[in-house]
Amino acid sequence: CLEKGDIIDLVAPASPAPREALENGIRWIERNGFIARVPENIIRTDVFFAAPLKEQLEQLKAAIYSDSKMIWSLRGGYGSMRLIPHMLKWKRPKTPKLFM
C-alpha cells in the first residue's frame, strides 16, 4: 500500500517515452504526494530503446533493490523482453514492490 511521501522509482525498460510524457508523469506523482526518483539518463535513445541494454538493466536493478515502494515503467513492450534473461539471474528482493 502506498502512502504519501513514499518513493516511486521510474524506469524505461523498453522504447523511449516522449520527454513530455515523462515530465507529466513526474508531476502526477508529486501532485499526489509521492516522491519521483528518476535515473539521470532514463531516456537516452539507443535506436529502438530508451537506453543501451546495460544502462536499462542497471536502472531497473537499482529500482528493484532500492527503498522505494513502487516501480513505474514509462513504457513496456517488446524491448522489455530482452531484460528478462538477465533478471532471472538476480536474487529475489527482500521487500516486494508494486510494479506498474
Side-chain angles (χ1 to χ4, degrees), residues 55-90:
E55 286 182 31
Q56 288 177 311
L57 285 166
E58 289 170 357
Q59 292 172 5
L60 182 58
K61 193 171 193 177
I64 287 173
Y65 297 111
S66 76
D67 58 346
S68 68
K69 296 269 182 95
M70 180 178 183
I71 299 172
W72 186 330
S73 177
L74 296 183
R75 297 183 80 165
Y78 169 76
S80 346
M81 292 179 6
R82 65 195 188 123
L83 281 68
I84 294 171
H86 302 277
M87 294 171 61
L88 292 172
K89 299 173 189 173
W90 299 348

Side-chain angles (χ1 to χ4, degrees), residues 28-39:
W28 186 92
I29 289 168
E30 293 174 348
R31 186 173 55 241
N32 285 280
F34 305 111
I35 299 166
R37 183 163 45 206
V38 185

Side-chain angles (χ1 to χ4, degrees), residues 40-51:
E40 187 175 319
N41 292 320
I42 190 167
I43 299 175
R44 200 186 101 209
T45 305
D46 180 53
V47 186
F48 300 110
F49 308 109

Side-chain angles (χ1 to χ4, degrees), residues 2 7-10 68-72 97-100:
L2 289 177
I7 298 169
I8 297 176
D9 280 310
L10 279 80
S68 68
K69 296 269 182 95
M70 180 178 183
I71 299 172
W72 186 330
K97 298 182 184 211
L98 297 170
F99 192 98
M100 181 166 84

